[in-house]
Each structure stands twice: as structure tokens, then as C-alpha cells.
Amino acid sequence: MYFRKLLTFIAVALSSRISADNIPVVDLASINHAKIDVNTVSVSGLSSGGFMANTMHYVFSSKVKGGGVFAGGPFNIGYNVTSRDFLPAYAVNVLASVLGRSQSELQAQTAFLSDQGIIDRVTNLKGSKSYVYQGGVDPINPECEYISQLCKVRCSVIGSIFGLEPFFNQFPIFHCTVVGLSQKVVNIYKHFGSDVKYLRLPFGTHGVPTDNYGSACHSYNIIDDGLNKCGIESIFEMFAHFYGKDYKKPISSSTPYTGTLYNFDQSPFTPSGNAATDFMNDYGGIYIPLACDNVNATCKLHVAFHGCYQTIFSNLFYDRWAVHAGFFQVADKNNVIVVFPRTAIFALQLTGTSNLACWDWFGGTTTSTIPFKQMPQIKSVANILNAIIGSNVFD
């Protein structure tokens, strides 16, 4: 509790309205870039960004062709299809509440939202690509749901390695539901016909696996920006799954990049015209590979959603994640423009508690009935994508 309060204090003191050092701030419309192949738009995200990427994939399934979920969870866990709004319980205590929603319930609600036209038709997901990562020792997004703190032991790799399941099963306090959030993401994607690639690392944690950058693979360390050195270029693996096996692999996720990262003002793309009002940071980022810095070229488009905290401290959290996760290196090799929308700190409407720059995948920014596509952050990202594409594809 003390640590969380300290982070909140520091975050408010520094303010979320930032621009990364040495990165030019430009008008998004003025950036010289290639035409976008609208059939190649994909999304990915870490933690709350993983939830957001999954949400964007379902909400805009007719436009988004691939979704990457790193240490995230399934779509619509905070939505009440009866009242057509977001459930207060999810804004009050999100994680405690989401663990109680079954896979069958989520599938049925997603189908209902599709039938009602609230999201794009789920039939679009058939054959679409999805990539899901789960770490076996993730302390934030555990591998299985649990009903008590003691149950975490059973959910961990320790319990499975030492064969302690028979012992756990003798005591009700250890009884668990053994399908965690990432596994639900996989199962629900498969239910709707998506082509899923599932990466599970027994000693992985809450982050994005890289080949040679970040903290140890098993170490959850927020100072290392959610990047874990696991000997795997997971961002490349994700893109190769989305776009084909002939995708070119960079030497490593730390290979010097040759394109340009720009910052751009996000306010013109928010519903109100003011980033802070719509729970967005002043600045978003866009990476243009050298080959895509040409109006006569055609390139792919990817959206990368950061995790919580990462836009509170400009260089400390956000920049190292963006640079070293592997997005730039894969983009250079394969002509992909990558956009990095950014959130800001906001107070949950129902509780007044601070959200440390997470993405709103659960309806915390609203207290009234609102369609998914009109949620402030989703609408802002859709407008950004439309500006990059040059037409109102996301509507």
C-alpha cells in the first residue's frame, strides 16, 4: 500500500504531460510516410495494454487482422450486456472481479455484443491471427485463477514441478480454478476461429520476452520496463505469425534501428480535443522505418499499447520499452509503421482512485452507458489510425 501511494505521489508530481528527450514533436499530418495497406493493421500490448489490444481486436475485428496479448486478459470482462454499460464492480476492484467470469459467459457476451452491432461481427475473427504470451511465474497475471493467496502456490510452477497437486487437493483452501486469464484469451480466440500462437514460458514473468535485453526472464522488475531477457525475440515471433513465415528476422532486438521515432500531439485526435480530458497523454509516438519514409511506398501498420506506469516517467519507463522490445528492429526489416499511443494518469469515475496511466479496458473512465467504439481512449486511438491511414477506416 505504501509503495503504491509513493508511486502515485511521484507520478502526480512529475505530471503525465511529457515529451521524451531528443524525440522531435511534429504534426502527425506532416510526417512523410508511405501509404498504409489497410489489410495489414495489427495491434499488441503489455499488461493493461494487452487487455486493450485484445479489446481493439474484437471491437474492430473487420479491420484489425492480428492481436498480440502479452500478460493481458480477455475482452469484455467489465461489460454488462443487460444494462449496456460497464459494471461498477470492475471499476472498484478489477482483478478480484474478473477472476469470477467464466469462459462460457465471456463467449456468450461477446457473441451478444456482435449480434447487437455494438462491436464488429465476431465471424471476422475466423482465420485472423492472434499471439498470446503467459509467464509461469507472473505475479500480476497468474497462470491460474485463485481464491486465496495461498492458492498462488498451486498456480505457480513450483507446485507443478514438485508434484504437489495431490497435497493441494486435500485442502479446500487450496482449491483453484485452473484456467487463468491468458489461457482464457487463447480459448476464446480459438472458440471464434482465430489462428492462435501461444507462448508459455515456465519461468517467465509479467513482461515482454526479448532475446538479450531487460531483467532476468523470471524477474518482475518495474524498473526494467516490463522487458525480460529470455532468449526469445517474441515481438518478431508475433509479427511472423501475423504476416507470414518469410518475415525477415533482425539480428537481435538490440540491433541499431535506422528509422525515425516522432512524437505527435494526441489532443486533436481525442473526442474532446483535449488529451487530458479524454485520459490520454499529450504525446503519442510513431516509428517510421527508412523504407516507409516515402509517399510512393506501401507499408503495414501496427499499434503497440504500453503497460501501466510506462508513460509516467518519460525516459525511465516508456522509451526503453518502445526501443528495446524489438518493434523498431522488426519494423525496419519488414516495412511496418508502428504507432505508440500513450495514456495519462486518470481517476476512476466510480471510485476516485488513481489509475497509474493504465489503459481503460474495463470502463473505468465512464459511469454511463457508452458503446465500446465511443470510449474516450478507444475513440482517440481510432482517430489516430484514421489520420495515419488517410481515411476513416476505423469508425
Side-chain angles (χ1 to χ4, degrees):
M1 181 64 71
Y2 173 79
F3 180 66
R4 184 177 179 82
K5 287 182 178 179
L6 177 62
L7 282 175
T8 303
F9 172 79
I10 294 173
V12 172
L14 292 182
S15 173
S16 62
R17 311 186 83 183
I18 57 174
S19 176
D21 293 348
N22 303 317
I23 299 176
V25 178
V26 298
D27 180 355
L28 184 59
S30 71
I31 298 176
N32 185 54
H33 67 75
K35 296 184 289 293
I36 300 298
D37 180 349
V38 295
N39 294 312
T40 66
V41 179
S42 60
V43 297
S44 69
L46 166 62
S47 192
S48 76
F51 278 94
M52 193 66 163
N54 192 242
T55 297
M56 290 289 290
H57 195 184
Y58 278 85
V59 171
F60 293 107
S61 61
S62 65
K63 289 92 175 175
V64 175
K65 306 304 180 182
V69 183
F70 292 80
F75 168 63
N76 88 42
I77 55 180
Y79 196 76
N80 185 334
V81 297
T82 303
S83 61
R84 302 287 183 88
D85 63 3
F86 293 92
L87 300 174
Y90 291 83
V92 173
N93 193 347
V94 176
L95 289 180
S97 300
V98 301
L99 296 179
R101 306 200 77 176
S102 69
Q103 177 183 324
S104 59
E105 178 186 8
L106 293 172
Q107 288 171 180
Q109 290 192 349
T110 299
F112 176 87
L113 293 169
S114 170
D115 291 342
Q116 295 296 308
I118 297 172
I119 64 173
D120 286 358
R121 299 288 300 179
V122 290
T123 51
N124 295 312
L125 290 166
K126 187 173 183 179
S128 73
K129 304 291 186 176
S130 51
Y131 184 94
V132 182
Y133 166 68
Q134 172 68 55
V137 291
D138 187 334
I140 306 300
N141 188 16
E143 192 166 24
C144 67
E145 299 176 0
Y146 52 91
I147 58 174
S148 72
Q149 291 298 313
L150 290 175
C151 210
K152 282 186 177 181
V153 179
R154 177 176 170 181
C155 296
S156 73
V157 68
I158 298 172
S160 59
I161 285 179
F162 291 99
L164 296 178
E165 290 296 299
F167 169 78
F168 291 140
N169 288 334
Q170 295 179 42
F171 301 96
I173 196 170
F174 286 110
H175 289 178
C176 310
T177 302
V178 293
V179 177
L181 294 179
S182 292
Q183 187 63 59
K184 279 183 181 175
V185 174
V186 172
N187 294 347
I188 296 171
Y189 263 138
K190 288 182 176 179
H191 173 79
F192 290 115
S194 179
D195 178 5
V196 185
K197 182 169 184 177
Y198 183 37
L199 173 65
R200 178 192 175 275
L201 298 180
F203 289 99
T205 187
H206 194 75
V208 174
T210 73
D211 55 342
N212 60 13
Y213 184 88
S215 55
C217 192
H218 66 277
S219 176
Y220 172 62
N221 188 342
I222 197 169
I223 299 302
D224 283 321
D225 316 321
L227 298 178
N228 294 97
K229 185 165 53 178
C230 300
I232 295 175
E233 291 184 61
S234 62
I235 297 302
F236 167 74
E237 285 195 355
M238 175 185 71
F239 277 113
H241 180 59
F242 289 169
Y243 299 123
K245 293 182 179 179
D246 58 345
Y247 226 56
K248 299 174 184 177
K249 186 175 183 178
I251 296 173
S252 81
S253 58
S254 296
T255 301
Y257 57 91
T258 58
T260 304
L261 176 65
Y262 300 96
N263 278 336
F264 63 91
D265 184 0
Q266 293 188 138
S267 285
F269 307 104
T270 62
S272 70
N274 182 284
T277 300
D278 292 310
F279 320 105
M280 297 291 284
N281 197 283
D282 275 357
Y283 301 104
I286 184 170
Y287 181 75
I288 310 292
L290 190 61
C292 297
D293 188 16
N294 182 343
V295 295
N296 295 316
T298 300
C299 290
K300 303 175 183 66
L301 179 62
H302 183 78
V303 185
F305 292 101
H306 60 75
C308 298
Y309 302 101
Q310 288 183 309
T311 57
I312 294 175
F313 308 100
S314 173
N315 289 329
L316 181 60
F317 285 173
Y318 175 79
D319 295 336
R320 292 213 314 258
W321 170 79
V323 172
H324 294 289
F327 292 106
F328 295 3
Q329 291 75 16
V330 177
D332 281 347
K333 283 280 188 179
N334 299 279
N335 300 349
V336 185
I337 292 174
V338 185
V339 61
F340 297 91
R342 295 172 179 158
T343 62
I345 302 168
F346 62 88
L348 300 178
Q349 296 294 300
L350 289 167
T351 65
T353 56
S354 178
N355 177 312
L356 294 180
C358 300
W359 288 98
D360 182 20
W361 44 268
F362 55 89
T365 58
T366 180
T367 57
S368 59
T369 301
I370 182 170
F372 278 96
K373 293 181 181 182
Q374 300 305 315
M375 287 175 63
Q377 290 181 347
I378 290 179
K379 185 64 175 176
S380 298
V381 174
N383 289 340
I384 290 169
L385 295 179
N386 286 336
I388 295 169
I389 293 169
S391 63
N392 291 328
V393 171
F394 287 81
D395 52 21

